[in-house]
Amino acid sequence: MSALPTPAAPATGRARRLRENLVAYLFLSAGLICFALFAWYPIVRGVLLGFQQVTFAQPAEWVGLDNFRRLFDDPLFATAWRNTGYFTLLALVFGFAAPFVTAVVLNEVRRGQSYLRLTVYLPVMLPPIVTMLLWRWFYDPGPGLFNNVLGVLHLPAQQWLESEHLAMISLVLVSTWANMGTTTLIYLAALGGIPGELYEAAELDGASIRRRLWHVTIPQVRFILMITLLLQVIGTMQVFVEPFVLTGGGPNEATVTILLLLYRYAFVYNDFGLASAMSTLLFVVLGLFAGLYLRLTRTKD
Amino acid sequence: MAATEPRSRTLIAPAELTRPVGRFLHRFVLGTTLTGFTLAFVFPLYWMTTGALKTSAELSQPHPTLLPSSWHPESYAEAWTNTGLAGYFFNTFLLAFGALLFQLVIDVSAAYALSKLRPVLGNAVLAMMLATLMLPVSALLVPAYLTVVDVPLVHVNLINTPFAIWLPAAANAFNVFILKRFFDQIPAELLDAARIDGAGTVRILVSVVLPLSRPVLAVVSIFAVVGVWKDFLWPMLVLPDERKQPVTVALNRLAEFMPANQLLAGMVMASIPLLVLFLVFQRHIISGLTAGSLKG
């Protein structure tokens, strides 16, 4: 066995601690620089930008609440919030229920489970742009698949993306199709973790399947359900690719969402101050929602 | 948790399934789910793949055909060469593998420092990193874009360079978090033993920590590649030069001009690498998903 190397400077522990910290921060440095440049600094700057007028030509100018005033004067601002709220609500109805029902069913089927798990996740692996282009083609009023299927079933053809009433629902359908795989697999993992004895005990007490679902399954995965609900609301409030590719915000601005409007402000009109004011507002609203939600749903344990 | 174990008891009792009614219901539910899922999730992929084999004329017929009336596999080759998709694929590969490299090097060393070297204020640094996960992505869109246009202190413009993708990708708190959590499980005695044998800090990371961390490194790598491959908005903003765009951005731009069958061929080709990745690494992807969801 080789002789133990004696620590370089056993004299002072403090010098050693200092050297160890230096080494540690050397390892951390690249990460710290990346986070500082592309996360921490932009957070602060984003809030400041909301109160500034920004052009590439001159240095940013402080304009106080001007941007916020201009936001509230823009009729599209209210439209965007209303549309986004509607999208989020619909997405919750579909996107929250569908994966849970799917997961419960998948957890019960005795055969084909791995095939089903695989297929439900396939859309998640498609690049969103591919999904959108594919569905744009399905929705096509002419050779589109959906209207042809409706035709076979002797149902009237629909103006999927061209009707003010249907456009948002069409976007939610794509979005649910594309994203439900992730949530389904997360639920499935949670369901797999429920101890079987709980079901056996409930069964001995004479609980029906429905009561077992209500009193055993749901309470056991309650935490995961709560968190995914929160994450889904935060995620769907920031919907962008769907309206950007499929409708461009139309027809008649019926699918202009917050992020689509933010994109227009920033990258079409180059009004970075106005866009930042909008993202600050979104940030505040989502933060308040998350805080309130977590407070209301907190359990006593 | 392991799938190979005999099934543990679930909502419906085995006895309930062996009764005639239960057996019928199970078969019915299984049948409808299998058909429904195949129609909903596999059929669109079939439609896309075979659509690319049809002629553009056949594609624009009012009544779509289930099978191409004549097969035109050459549309794949045409899409690859005529519209420059080959170049866009090369860009995507470059962006994805660069991002992978940056994320691995930067996030692994950060997680190693936080987990094993434990500097003062390490926990505060970790908390500040994790705090960025709470932030809606869109809140950073504009300020991060302006940062890329003119990087503070050094005043470099990263627009139209791959660094505009690589560097922000490395600021990934989720990676640091799962890597650190994995490193935490590696016993300190192992590192002490290596140190006694004369291994330095880097040597310990490379020869002790990394070989033990293969599963988590696989998760981080897969998610890095998938993330960049699927991304659309950010590369569209920071890579306005058409020759530098990844295939996702290019497809959306070209969708207006390309013949329908070539566009579909391009869409199929843009999806294949991710689908293959998923089929090969299912296990890792699913474990990564569940690592991401907070366990109660």
Side-chain angles (χ1 to χ4, degrees):
Chain A
M1 195 177 124
S2 61
L4 298 184
T6 44
T12 54
R14 190 185 292 165
R16 213 190 73 212
R17 274 304 297 163
L18 188 70
R19 216 197 57 182
E20 279 174 2
N21 267 306
L22 267 172
V23 172
Y25 272 100
L26 205 67
F27 274 84
L28 258 177
S29 55
L32 283 175
I33 291 172
C34 281
F35 271 92
L37 280 181
F38 300 103
W40 299 328
Y41 168 68
I43 293 172
V44 180
R45 192 166 175 207
V47 175
L48 294 179
L49 280 170
F51 300 95
Q52 292 172 336
Q53 194 187 15
V54 193
T55 48
F56 280 122
Q58 305 143 318
E61 197 189 325
W62 197 259
V63 292
L65 290 173
D66 239 29
N67 288 326
F68 292 90
R69 229 170 274 136
R70 283 167 56 217
L71 270 185
F72 285 101
D73 283 342
D74 185 349
L76 267 184
F77 179 73
T79 312
W81 280 89
R82 216 174 26 240
N83 289 344
T84 307
Y86 181 48
F87 181 91
T88 306
L89 203 73
L90 283 176
L92 275 191
V93 174
F94 295 125
F96 193 63
F100 185 67
V101 174
T102 309
V104 170
V105 170
L106 290 203
N107 200 39
E108 292 310 323
V109 297
R110 299 296 194 261
R111 243 174 292 160
Q113 208 197 73
S114 51
Y115 169 76
L116 292 170
R117 227 174 22 201
L118 191 117
T119 51
V120 78
Y121 200 73
L122 282 180
V124 180
M125 292 308 279
L126 294 182
I129 209 71
V130 170
T131 306
M132 296 311 140
L133 292 173
L134 187 64
W135 278 65
R136 185 159 78 183
W137 195 47
F138 288 163
Y139 281 140
D140 194 296
L145 193 63
F146 288 163
N147 277 347
N148 272 287
V149 171
L150 289 180
V152 170
L153 300 171
H154 299 288
L155 291 168
Q158 299 295 329
Q159 299 281 312
W160 295 101
L161 296 171
E162 292 80 13
S163 132
E164 275 181 50
H165 304 290
L166 257 187
M168 197 59 105
I169 297 173
S170 304
L171 297 190
V172 174
L173 280 180
V174 194
S175 179
T176 308
W177 183 84
N179 298 315
M180 68 178 276
T182 313
T183 341
T184 306
L185 293 192
I186 290 174
Y187 289 159
L188 206 54
L191 290 174
I194 301 177
E197 300 85 59
L198 291 178
Y199 288 117
E200 272 158 19
E203 203 187 315
L204 286 178
D205 289 344
S208 64
I209 293 176
R210 200 188 312 156
R211 289 177 62 99
R212 268 177 260 156
L213 180 69
W214 189 249
H215 292 291
V216 179
T217 312
I218 292 180
Q220 285 289 312
V221 294
R222 207 181 93 98
F223 183 75
I224 299 276
L225 286 174
M226 271 168 41
I227 292 296
T228 44
L229 181 88
L230 179 65
L231 293 178
Q232 274 192 356
V233 169
I234 293 176
T236 47
M237 287 286 280
Q238 301 176 70
V239 57
F240 175 77
V241 187
E242 287 87 346
F244 183 78
V245 178
L246 289 174
T247 60
N252 194 18
E253 315 288 20
T255 54
V256 171
T257 61
I258 296 172
L259 222 63
L260 196 67
L261 191 59
L262 192 144
Y263 171 84
R264 281 190 199 167
Y265 285 155
F267 301 104
V268 180
Y269 311 134
N270 285 318
D271 198 335
F272 294 111
L274 197 61
S276 298
M278 189 143 178
S279 57
T280 305
L281 277 180
L282 179 64
F283 177 47
V284 170
V285 168
L286 289 179
L288 285 176
F289 168 76
L292 200 70
Y293 177 81
L294 289 177
R295 171 162 279 247
L296 286 176
T297 52
R298 194 164 50 188
T299 43
K300 276 160 226 95
D301 49 41
Chain B
M1 282 294 275
T4 45
E5 285 169 31
R7 292 183 56 88
S8 66
R9 174 63 217 277
T10 55
L11 176 62
I12 295 165
E16 282 164 332
L17 276 177
T18 50
R19 273 184 235 132
V21 182
R23 248 203 340 245
F24 170 76
L25 276 178
H26 178 247
R27 280 210 194 126
F28 177 75
V29 170
L30 182 63
T32 33
T33 338
L34 282 174
T35 342
F37 275 45
T38 308
L39 276 180
F41 300 119
V42 183
F43 184 71
L45 298 183
Y46 165 82
W47 197 253
M48 178 163 75
T49 320
T50 53
L53 298 169
K54 299 172 182 171
T55 60
S56 285
E58 190 183 348
L59 279 171
S60 54
Q61 276 171 14
H63 295 293
T65 44
L66 208 53
L67 273 177
S69 52
S70 60
W71 297 73
H72 296 275
E74 68 273 11
S75 57
Y76 282 91
E78 281 164 11
W80 183 257
T81 48
N82 290 4
T83 41
L85 274 188
Y88 299 124
F89 270 99
F90 174 76
N91 294 342
T92 303
F93 271 110
L94 183 77
L95 294 177
F97 283 98
L100 169 65
L101 209 69
F102 271 84
Q103 285 187 45
L104 278 183
V105 172
I106 293 176
D107 294 347
V108 162
S109 48
Y112 176 58
L114 291 172
S115 170
K116 294 298 176 205
L117 310 179
R118 311 202 125 271
V120 275
L121 296 179
N123 284 334
V125 169
L126 183 67
M128 275 177 70
M129 287 179 172
L130 289 177
T132 63
L133 284 177
M134 313 286 168
L135 211 68
V137 195
S138 51
L140 286 182
L141 193 62
V142 171
Y145 173 78
L146 292 176
T147 304
V148 169
V149 171
D150 179 18
V151 180
L153 304 176
V154 282
H155 296 292
V156 191
N157 185 346
L158 298 179
I159 294 292
N160 283 326
T161 70
F163 290 99
I165 306 280
W166 294 341
L167 293 177
N172 185 324
F174 174 70
N175 281 351
V176 176
F177 175 67
I178 62 167
L179 285 166
K180 178 190 179 282
R181 217 170 51 165
F182 197 93
F183 293 166
D184 282 345
Q185 295 169 352
I186 297 174
E189 293 79 34
L190 225 52
L191 306 200
D192 290 339
R195 201 166 290 128
I196 289 166
D197 283 346
T201 319
V202 179
R203 184 71 197 278
I204 292 174
L205 172 63
V206 174
S207 341
V208 181
V209 175
L210 289 187
L212 288 171
S213 309
R214 276 202 204 112
V216 73
L217 292 175
V219 168
V220 168
S221 306
I222 293 162
F223 278 82
V225 172
V226 172
V228 172
W229 201 286
K230 286 175 65 175
D231 206 2
F232 171 72
L233 176 56
W234 184 251
M236 179 175 73
L237 294 178
V238 299
L239 301 171
D241 182 349
E242 294 178 0
R243 287 163 310 164
K244 304 213 164 132
Q245 287 174 345
V247 67
T248 49
V249 180
L251 274 178
N252 183 53
R253 190 164 41 78
L254 295 170
E256 314 306 323
F257 321 107
M258 272 169 100
N261 56 355
Q262 289 187 22
L263 176 64
L264 283 169
M267 284 154 61
V268 173
M269 292 189 284
S271 319
I272 286 175
L274 291 187
L275 293 176
V276 170
L277 201 71
F278 175 56
L279 295 178
V280 177
F281 293 106
Q282 274 184 69
R283 219 164 241 278
H284 289 105
I285 290 176
I286 291 171
S287 75
L289 279 181
T290 31
S293 73
L294 308 152
K295 279 253 163 126

